Amino acid sequence: MIAGGTKWGISGFAGGRVAAVRIPPTFMVSDVSGPAMPRENIVLQRITRDPTSAKDAEQVAGEILENPGRLPLLIEGLEDPEDIIRAKTAHALERIADASPELLANYVPTVTRLARSDPVPMVRLHMAIILGEIPVEPEDLDRVIGTLEHLLAEDDNLFVKSWSIVSLTRIGMRVPTRKPGIVDAIWPFREQGDGLLQAKAARAIEVLEAGG
């Protein structure tokens, strides 16, 4: 199993790492109007529909870290029909992956599927971050790397693309044999797209190549 490492952020690299920044204070959902759906799930009941605050998701993450047996109840939120609930569930799971990445090791198929398919950018963003955090079995590496390369090449959200570079770089640093392929996937973005993405791609390649 290939374990996770130091958490990286989106603003830039420093000393071989990426400086952490706050994700924009919105969950990138288009509609939270109408009455909340009734839920029997005691974990999801704690998640509010306020798209401007993450406090509830972070509190839920803390509770799951203290009581990991309730993690499957939180995972159910990734399939919720309401965009805001899926987005906040993803936020909580990213916090869990940061603190105890091994707790999510068995959920690689779920994370990769939602990274490719969820219509809400914030969900895809957190899935991209999680894929760089959690332990990955060698047999799952192709699935994880392929998903991140897909997000980098095809996703239309800058934050999702940028975090895909971060997670690919982290995986490359942990698994040196995958560095050449990861460098090849990131290389074109040194000269295309947003300036932030170009800078991130250039620095990622520098970090990967300097890592030996």
Side-chain angles (χ1 to χ4, degrees):
M1 183 174 290
I2 299 151
T6 304
K7 177 67 174 290
W8 289 3
I10 197 170
S11 62
F13 292 77
R17 298 182 181 178
V18 184
V21 301
R22 300 289 295 179
I23 289 172
T26 172
F27 280 87
M28 303 182 194
V29 297
S30 59
D31 185 11
V32 292
S33 61
M37 296 180 59
R39 290 178 175 81
E40 296 181 359
N41 185 315
I42 61 174
V43 171
L44 298 186
Q45 287 173 1
R46 301 291 307 280
I47 296 178
T48 73
R49 301 170 76 242
D50 179 0
T52 66
S53 174
K55 289 182 179 179
D56 52 339
E58 293 177 359
Q59 288 173 350
V60 167
E63 292 169 4
I64 297 299
L65 288 169
E66 293 179 0
N67 188 355
R70 290 186 173 182
L71 178 59
L73 294 175
L74 179 59
I75 292 291
E76 289 181 12
L78 292 175
E79 309 293 346
D80 197 276
E82 288 195 74
D83 291 354
I84 186 62
I85 301 301
R86 296 198 313 281
K88 288 197 170 189
T89 295
H91 182 97
L93 289 169
E94 188 257 305
R95 292 296 184 262
I96 291 168
D98 182 38
S100 295
E102 69 281 357
L103 291 179
L104 296 180
N106 292 330
Y107 294 99
V108 168
T110 298
V111 174
T112 53
R113 174 173 58 83
L114 291 170
R116 289 175 175 266
S117 66
D118 198 283
V120 176
M122 186 59 81
V123 175
R124 302 195 305 274
L125 169 63
H126 285 300
M127 297 300 102
I129 296 172
I130 289 169
L131 288 174
E133 296 275 9
I134 60 178
V136 178
E137 297 288 353
E139 60 267 27
D140 288 329
L141 267 178
D142 285 343
R143 184 205 302 259
V144 170
I145 293 173
T147 296
L148 290 167
E149 290 179 349
H150 169 81
L151 293 176
L152 177 57
E154 303 294 338
D155 203 280
D156 59 4
N157 184 274
L158 173 62
F159 290 99
V160 175
K161 286 178 172 288
S162 187
W163 271 105
S164 297
I165 290 176
V166 173
S167 288
L168 282 168
T169 304
R170 298 185 70 211
I171 291 171
M173 294 299 291
R174 297 197 303 266
V175 191
T177 58
R178 305 307 291 262
K179 281 185 182 182
I182 288 173
V183 168
D184 287 345
I186 296 174
W187 189 272
F189 294 90
R190 298 169 71 247
E191 298 181 352
Q192 61 180 257
D194 182 272
L196 169 65
L197 199 65
Q198 291 181 15
K200 181 61 65 64
R203 185 62 178 127
I205 291 170
E206 181 179 344
V207 169
L208 286 165
E209 292 182 341

